[in-house]
Amino acid sequence: MAKKNIAPDTRVRVDTWDACVDFPIFDAKTRSLKKSVIGAAGGVIGANASNVVVVEALKNINIHLKHGDRVGLVGHNGAGKSTLLRLLSGIYEPTRGACRVQGRVAPVFDLGVGMDPEISGYENIIIRGMFLGMTRKEMLKKIDDIAEFTELGDYLQMPLRTYSTGMRVRIALGVVTSIDPEILILDEGIGAVDAEFMKKARGRLQALVERSGILVFASHSNEFLAQLCDRALWIDKGEVRMEGGIDEVVEAYEGPAAAAHVRKIMAEVKADDSTKASE
Amino acid sequence: MSAVVDDDAIPARPESSESRTFARAVKDLRDGLASRELWFHLGWQDIKQRYRRSALGPFWITIATAVTATAMGLLYGELFGMDIKVFLPYVTLGFIFWNFIESSILDGSEVFSKNEGLIKQLPAPVSVHVYRVVWRALIIFAHNVAIIVIVFLIFPPPIGWSAFLVVPALVLYMLNSIWVTIVFGILSTRFRDIGQLLTTAVRLVFFMTPIIWTTTSLSNATGETSSRLKLVELNPMFHYLEIARGPLLGQPVEFYHWAVVLGCTAFGWILGMLVMRNYRARVAYWV
């Protein structure tokens, strides 16, 4: 993908060394689960020294990302994609091993977090930005641009509770795509807007990805992955099962048909980029 | 194409115990202070949400405190045969300062479990939520200042410059509020019974602390004052109330009250820092 205009910033890095994330589940009965159970979905369940049930959500993760890396995550439900995103954003510190995140992280797990239904759309734009690590001043500078993007006009002065779901998503997307993160962490689930608007949002999303130093993106949409990322990690049962180009990983994960689709999109993106460059 | 595992440029692995150091605990507290825009907003939002769409809004805090303090002042003043001119300001002030203590303990103990969503979605320092609780308690206190003014207008107290000793007392309140929220907040996230236990304990301590009664009414009631007074002296809350209430009532506050509070503050902060060092990183796992 396009990363021409960015001077590489060596300071921005995400590193993990044999990082493990174990969740203690205090209210689960330990005895019935004394023997570790390995299921197809979800992490490995075991018990720790003090006999608390533990879910090994991530095991021995070694990832080293630097400026310019755009990584997609694929894997089953419960394979540990979201947990890995939280580890890489510094929300979970590893229970074993080590993890270091250098740079300003903007994690987007849920578009609406921090939105207050009782205050106006304008206020919500500023507050949502603050949750993503911007200051009030920075958001005030961007607010006109975001307001224009949402196409909500005077409606932005109404309290958010009067908005439809689609209108809320517009605001959320408008804010998320306006920030300047050094490390952008995107979870799946951005895409419940009408198609016309999505086309517009996609352009902004791509611009955002180009601005940000590092992108880690978990998605079930191969199309999105191919458009935004250039590498992929296959997460399975809490471990990195495979890493490589998106087409290779998707081929191993979903089969040749999906990989062919990915290659087609990648070729389109490349053609798109070169026409843009020649213009 | 950039490699995800870039062998030649992998930085040296840090000590894996890095997350359990005092340095990280201090950094958390400092970073939390730096993102004050966020907790300023969150604290206000908490207050506004509670009184949303009511015409008087947050001034219901003022009204609720005023009504309770007046009713208790009149009732207990009558029961103990106290002079209302002295007793009503005493009860009102005690009640307002107690409210601050109580809300730090109770709100503090549930702040992490209530904000599960935020904690799991934002890589913010743990202390953001701590400061938010203290800030919220301060906003409530500020609303109650109006009552103090009104009571003082009706019953002018014999106060002088020593009344300003309430300022250092309030600073100590805030410092204590921080460690209380850290310790109880983090522990009750892990052991959910602690929050319930605290609710019960706080109510008990309210009746054991001279707020709606005075130490003099204790000695008036019976002859054997010394043992009961000792029991009051053992209650740290008594000393906390004395240092804040005394200056505003024009009563001389003996130094040992300050000493006890300073001692508790120091002890609490040591405890708070230990909890921060060992369990700060666990909060996201426990919520």
Side-chain angles (χ1 to χ4, degrees), chain B residues 171-212:
Chain B
V171 171
L172 281 173
Y173 268 48
M174 284 187 268
L175 284 176
N176 280 282
S177 187
I178 294 176
W179 75 255
V180 161
T181 306
I182 291 172
V183 172
F184 291 144
I186 293 183
L187 290 185
S188 67
T189 311
R190 168 64 183 85
F191 302 102
R192 298 294 163 106
D193 301 82
I194 289 180
Q196 305 299 327
L197 181 76
L198 282 173
T199 315
T200 317
V202 161
R203 192 166 309 153
L204 187 69
V205 173
F206 172 74
F207 288 109
M208 285 170 61
T209 310
I211 297 164
I212 49 173

Side-chain angles (χ1 to χ4, degrees), chain A residues 106-152:
Chain A
V108 184
F109 293 103
D110 173 354
L111 281 173
V113 67
M115 299 269 239
D116 183 344
E118 297 292 333
I119 56 180
S120 72
Y122 274 121
E123 269 294 299
N124 267 300
I125 288 174
I126 290 172
I127 278 141
R128 182 75 183 107
M130 271 156 59
F131 276 108
L132 289 168
M134 310 287 289
T135 63
R136 188 174 273 275
K137 234 191 220 156
E138 285 170 326
M139 284 317 287
L140 282 173
K141 269 188 218 149
K142 293 178 185 286
I143 199 154
D144 288 334
D145 172 48
I146 298 170
E148 195 187 322
F149 167 72
T150 60
E151 298 172 346
L152 289 174

